[in-house]
Amino acid sequence: MHITRRGALAAIPALAMLGLAAPARANQLEAIRRAGRIRIATDLAIPPSGMMDGQMRPTGSDVEVAQALARDLGVQLEFVPTVGATRIPNLQTDKADIIISTLSVTPERARVIQFSKPYAALASVVGGRRDIAVSSLATLRGRTVTTVRGTTQDTELTPLANEHGFRIQRFDDDATMVTAAVAGQAELVATSATLVGQIAQRAPQRGFEVKFTIRNFDLAMGLRQGEPQLLEWVNAWIDANVANGRLNEIYRRFHG
């Protein structure tokens, strides 16, 4: 399916099109079209959502979603490499127009950016070696849980660490955390179920598995606040590509 410029503009209220109800700054949707490019912040080191293939080209589920969105908008795509902690700052400092990078919807984030409609889901979990008897927060006492700074797992577990008597070890990006787990330097990780699966594939001798679910999150695209036209176009695009099965096909192909 291709969402045309005419179709997207038709969804914008008449007053906004005339500029009578426009925000003080320029309409970001029109600015993207005039520039002929969209800058999308995507972490390219969290397979299978974002990664580099054998020819050092970006690939993964978030990469393909970003590519499809840019193509339907009729502009060139520029990836802005990011990690978990820099996704929102990249947006706020105008280094990126949109975040498409396993961004979970949380009330805290919704206070500083606006979210699109969900386009996928994420299971936030604690994973670890099969021989470690962990099944809940209460059973983490005395153990160290490794996670990535600034992620939902970090913000969820940090306030609970003292109460339940466990320690948190933080890395700056998912790739470093996965490498630590594969090398035996992290026995428990708080991350997505998909990344636990990646650890298990890369180090089958360690027997990594999901121990318990922290929470299930919707994944959405992140946009700067005060951009109703861009948000409306993105939401219409998500609706159309959920309905036609395109987003589901991408997610199934990379995440199983």
Side-chain angles (χ1 to χ4, degrees):
M1 173 179 172
H2 186 82
I3 299 178
T4 65
R5 175 185 174 125
R6 179 179 299 174
L9 287 176
I12 300 175
L15 287 178
M17 289 180 66
L18 292 172
L20 300 179
R25 65 184 176 192
N27 178 330
Q28 190 184 10
L29 177 61
E30 288 307 311
I32 290 168
R33 284 181 167 137
R34 284 196 303 270
R37 65 165 185 164
I38 186 168
R39 301 164 301 162
I40 298 182
T42 304
D43 191 336
L44 299 176
I46 49 167
S49 298
M51 52 194 166
M52 305 299 284
D53 67 13
Q55 287 72 50
M56 296 305 294
R57 295 174 300 194
T59 187
S61 56
D62 280 337
V63 168
E64 288 204 6
V65 170
Q67 290 169 335
L69 184 144
R71 188 164 52 247
D72 287 349
L73 187 53
V75 296
Q76 295 296 312
L77 169 60
E78 177 185 325
F79 280 116
V80 178
T82 190
V83 296
T86 60
R87 290 172 298 182
I88 291 175
N90 280 340
L91 194 66
Q92 294 173 315
T93 57
D94 196 31
K95 293 178 182 176
D97 299 308
I98 295 180
I99 304 167
I100 303 179
S101 186
T102 59
L103 187 67
S104 303
V105 178
T106 69
E108 294 77 20
R109 289 172 176 169
R111 285 196 282 269
V112 294
I113 63 171
Q114 58 183 357
F115 285 104
S116 71
K117 292 183 176 181
Y119 69 93
L122 175 143
S124 179
V125 305
V126 169
R129 296 200 321 263
R130 190 175 295 114
D131 61 332
I132 297 175
V134 164
S135 58
S136 66
L137 286 170
T139 59
L140 291 177
R141 185 168 298 278
R143 297 193 177 275
T144 298
V145 180
T146 301
T147 192
V148 174
R149 194 182 318 277
T151 59
T152 51
Q153 292 83 22
D154 186 9
T155 55
E156 287 264 313
L157 292 184
T158 295
L160 301 172
N162 286 338
E163 176 187 351
H164 293 283
F166 62 88
R167 297 173 297 277
I168 297 179
Q169 178 186 30
R170 297 176 181 84
F171 288 111
D172 289 331
D173 57 68
D174 289 279
T176 307
M177 182 198 67
V178 169
T179 299
V182 169
Q185 298 169 353
E187 63 177 16
L188 291 169
V189 295
T191 184
S192 69
T194 299
L195 281 184
V196 173
Q198 290 288 316
I199 295 168
Q201 289 179 18
R202 289 179 54 182
Q205 74 280 8
R206 301 204 180 281
F208 256 73
E209 63 183 9
V210 171
K211 295 297 185 179
F212 63 90
T213 298
I214 303 170
R215 187 185 297 189
N216 290 310
F217 287 97
D218 286 329
L219 297 184
M221 301 178 192
L223 296 81
R224 284 193 292 276
Q225 292 179 339
E227 295 294 347
Q229 294 90 350
L230 181 59
L231 178 64
E232 190 163 3
W233 190 93
V234 167
N235 281 340
W237 185 87
I238 291 171
D239 281 343
N241 286 279
V242 167
N244 65 23
R246 187 184 191 185
L247 287 170
N248 196 46
E249 186 278 327
I250 291 172
Y251 194 83
R252 284 184 179 276
R253 182 153 38 84
F254 284 97
H255 296 266

